[in-house]
Amino acid sequence: MEDALKLEYEAKNGWSLLDEGARKELTAFCEDYKKFLDDAKTEVEATEVLTAAAKAAGFTDIEEVIAQGGSVCPGTKLYAVNRGKSCAFIVTGKDDPTSGMKMIGAHIDCPRLDLKPRPLYEDSGFVLAKTHYYGGIKKYQWVAMPLALHGVVFSDMGRKKLNVKLGEDENDPVLYITDLLPHLAGGQMGKPASQVIGAEQLNVVTGSVPAYKAPEPAEEAKPEDQECKDKPENGGNDSLKTLILKLINEKYGLKEEDFFRAEFEIVPALKAKDVGLDRGLIGAYGQDDRVCAYTAFRSLLDFEGVPDKTLLVYLSDKEEIGSMGNTGARSCWLENLILELVHLHDAAYGMLELRRSMRNTKFLSADVTAAFDPTFADVSDKLNVAFAGGGIAFEKYTGSGGKYGSSDASAQLVTYIVDCLDQAGVPWQLTEMGKVDVGGGGTIAQFMADLGMDVIDCGVPVLSMHSPYELTSKADVFWTYKAYLAFLRA
Ligand code: MN
Ligand code: MN
């Protein structure tokens, strides 16, 4: 007798599929992930940390191979870096690249506050730094919490780069943005949330201690040779801002003008932590989209053997502001990289082979989606929302207001990928982000679709997305990693 045919769909729970051994593997993987979150809070740091890990695992810079007039053979491991902010990792396959590649693309920029080009000013006993927010944030969430400064400063015609990180070490001071006390916030509390904190109120406290002026010693008590020694050697008459500039100069060798040569980002000075007594969740800044970046990167790093199709993990920048610019997914950087790969495979290959390759490529747009939040249940359609712990979430389409601005994946592509996960025993859910007409969002999927690739969005469901401290389920982090691995192996 056959089992009764099960007709009704039953959603899976990612935790219930994990035996004791798998739970240990999950815990170890999530510890690595948390360390990555702490080490790489910006696109620049993520690029540095991941390329260093790739190098250690035997990946070679594609620029070196190109410069040496080299070629690739099946199993060659390469990486490519775009202006220090975006990168890609490749394992070349046995098949001709015109038969297509398998790619996973995530983004490594996160919502944050950038310092303005000329940020520093002094006002009423404080030195403050002006910011310009980056990406879609709720501005009121960024006040009254410890903040860190991360960034790069260039010198010598752009040849020398200095990395700056302040507020992350246990012994570092942190930075801070003030909020109004409730006692005096009557006016503020009556405003819509979008105006509770204005963009020009996101001013970062960077200093407050005025110069010490030694009291003038009485004339008779002043020995001739001691005249100058009692006064501070410098700083006695310095403004507060000058004193802060001196501290910056001592620590980093910078002058105020150097802020024009810099890109400084203000991020929460918070470490990734387990959340809940059973430690099932991860709280951290910037999990959109470093959770998909890390799981995608690890899936390629942990891929063993020589693949049939060339495998590529692409980590882009500027997704949070529309994927613009030459490090964003709308630039031709990825296309040029694929052209280089096609050409390295066969020196006679050029644009036609590039087009054929892209047309036959399957691309997972690895980005987060909103997890169902029981506290804010009314924005979601419970039948079609992603649940934390339910496994990797696929979005056949994103966009908003009648699927506008979406790359709608074909049912055929959905079938290919979910069959591939079913065969590997990986739980998945197929979801929409919220109720129709409530809102929406976009990813890099549409730009990859423009290149002719078959693309679908999939990634980890997140609670409190774009807040300074986002929440994910460890089960989803682990299963998303397993899902990407299954896709690369299929
Ligand atoms: Mn994202
Ligand atoms: Mn986002």
Side-chain angles (χ1 to χ4, degrees):
M1 268 286 281
E2 265 183 66
D3 287 341
L5 187 60
K6 224 176 94 197
L7 293 174
E8 223 176 311
Y9 166 74
E10 207 180 303
K12 290 200 176 78
N13 181 285
W15 287 105
S16 60
L17 298 169
L18 296 164
D19 61 18
E20 206 182 321
R23 282 178 194 232
K24 276 190 184 148
E25 192 190 345
L26 171 149
T27 302
F29 185 87
C30 288
E31 286 306 306
D32 291 346
Y33 168 53
K34 280 156 59 190
K35 185 172 185 322
F36 169 71
L37 289 171
D38 291 343
D39 290 346
K41 289 193 175 178
T42 68
E43 64 284 8
V44 171
E45 290 166 4
T47 299
E48 286 173 357
V49 167
L50 296 180
T51 49
K55 252 189 216 176
F59 285 67
T60 311
D61 190 342
I62 193 169
E63 297 297 337
E64 285 173 29
V65 178
I66 293 167
Q68 288 159 10
S71 61
V72 294
C73 57
T76 302
K77 294 176 174 179
L78 301 166
Y79 70 88
V81 177
N82 182 8
R83 296 168 171 87
K85 294 177 178 181
S86 161
C87 48
F89 305 90
I90 302 130
V91 178
T92 54
K94 293 173 203 156
D95 293 355
D96 192 284
T98 55
S99 72
M101 302 182 181
K102 281 198 234 175
M103 300 189 187
I104 310 174
H107 65 93
I108 48 178
D109 63 315
C110 308
R112 61 183 190 245
L113 309 176
D114 286 343
L115 287 195
K116 289 192 183 187
R118 189 179 175 191
L120 291 175
Y121 69 102
E122 183 175 339
D123 194 348
S124 312
F126 292 104
V127 176
L128 297 151
K130 296 212 66 76
T131 63
H132 192 143
Y133 64 92
Y134 173 98
I137 63 166
K138 289 178 167 176
K139 294 185 278 289
Y140 66 79
Q141 291 180 330
W142 291 71
V143 298
M145 66 181 301
L147 298 168
L149 174 82
H150 292 234
V152 290
V153 192
F154 286 89
S155 58
D156 189 20
M157 307 281 280
R159 286 182 283 251
K160 271 190 203 154
K161 184 173 91 172
L162 171 74
N163 285 311
V164 171
K165 201 191 267 196
L166 177 76
E168 296 292 352
D169 190 87
E170 270 315 298
N171 301 313
D172 278 355
V174 295
L175 304 174
Y176 189 88
I177 297 171
T178 55
D179 194 3
L180 197 51
L181 64 169
H183 316 64
L184 300 179
Q188 182 195 38
M189 297 298 274
K191 289 180 181 174
S194 61
Q195 291 164 29
V196 162
I197 297 287
E200 297 294 344
Q201 290 174 318
L202 292 170
N203 301 322
V204 183
V205 173
T206 60
S208 64
V209 183
Y212 173 69
K213 282 183 186 162
E216 288 291 325
E219 273 306 311
E220 61 273 21
K222 195 159 90 183
E224 284 296 301
D225 58 342
Q226 283 277 305
E227 194 166 14
C228 297
K229 287 194 179 165
D230 285 345
K231 287 188 184 169
E233 289 220 336
N234 49 42
N237 294 311
D238 285 342
S239 71
L240 197 50
K241 185 179 151 191
T242 306
L243 290 172
I244 288 299
L245 284 169
K246 278 185 177 171
L247 288 176
I248 293 170
N249 187 266
E250 273 167 33
K251 205 167 158 71
Y252 303 108
L254 303 175
K255 303 189 297 290
E256 189 174 14
E257 199 192 284
D258 292 323
F259 280 81
F260 293 128
R261 306 163 192 274
E263 281 175 320
F264 284 127
E265 304 178 12
I266 301 289
V267 298
L270 302 168
K271 299 250 187 284
K273 292 260 186 195
D274 290 347
V275 173
L277 275 76
D278 52 4
R279 296 179 174 272
L281 302 157
I282 295 172
Y285 163 68
Q287 298 199 72
D288 172 11
D289 186 32
R290 285 175 303 146
V291 66
C292 297
Y294 185 73
T295 46
F297 174 79
R298 274 289 298 269
S299 71
L300 186 69
L301 205 70
D302 297 348
F303 181 91
E304 283 168 355
V306 178
D308 290 334
K309 300 241 181 289
T310 290
L311 311 177
L312 187 150
V313 168
Y314 170 46
L315 303 181
S316 77
D317 179 31
K318 299 284 183 279
E319 193 276 342
E320 295 294 358
I321 56 168
S323 294
M324 316 296 194
N326 60 9
T327 54
R330 299 174 90 155
S331 78
C332 63
W333 185 77
L334 179 65
E335 203 177 332
N336 287 348
L337 176 63
I338 304 166
L339 180 57
E340 295 283 7
L341 287 171
V342 163
H343 189 68
L344 282 173
H345 172 83
D346 186 330
Y349 278 10
M351 287 306 283
L352 181 61
E353 287 75 17
L354 165 73
R355 299 277 153 213
R356 285 176 179 159
S357 178
M358 292 197 298
R359 189 185 69 201
N360 293 319
T361 287
K362 287 186 175 64
F363 192 106
L364 298 187
S365 167
D367 208 341
V368 299
T369 186
F372 179 75
D373 184 339
T375 303
F376 300 101
D378 58 326
V379 298
S380 301
D381 162 14
K382 253 187 158 175
L383 287 174
N384 290 287
V385 68
F387 285 91
I392 184 170
F394 283 85
E395 302 225 317
K396 189 174 175 299
Y397 45 85
T398 56
S400 59
K403 298 192 179 182
Y404 187 82
S406 142
S407 154
D408 199 348
S410 73
Q412 195 176 13
L413 178 66
V414 174
T415 304
Y416 169 86
I417 179 74
V418 298
D419 279 354
C420 164
L421 298 200
D422 282 344
Q423 282 164 22
V426 175
W428 52 270
Q429 36 190 341
L430 203 137
T431 66
E432 284 190 5
M433 197 158 83
K435 279 182 181 164
V436 182
D437 281 351
V438 166
T443 64
I444 66 168
Q446 53 186 315
F447 311 119
M448 301 301 112
D450 287 346
L451 297 175
M453 300 176 185
D454 269 325
V455 191
I456 185 163
D457 281 300
C458 58
V460 174
V462 173
L463 290 113
S464 307
M465 196 197 294
H466 283 205
S467 79
Y469 211 64
E470 300 171 322
L471 200 60
T472 56
S473 163
K474 286 184 179 177
D476 298 331
V477 175
F478 181 69
W479 283 121
T480 296
Y481 159 66
K482 290 288 183 187
Y484 295 157
L485 200 50
F487 168 68
L488 297 181
R489 282 176 178 160

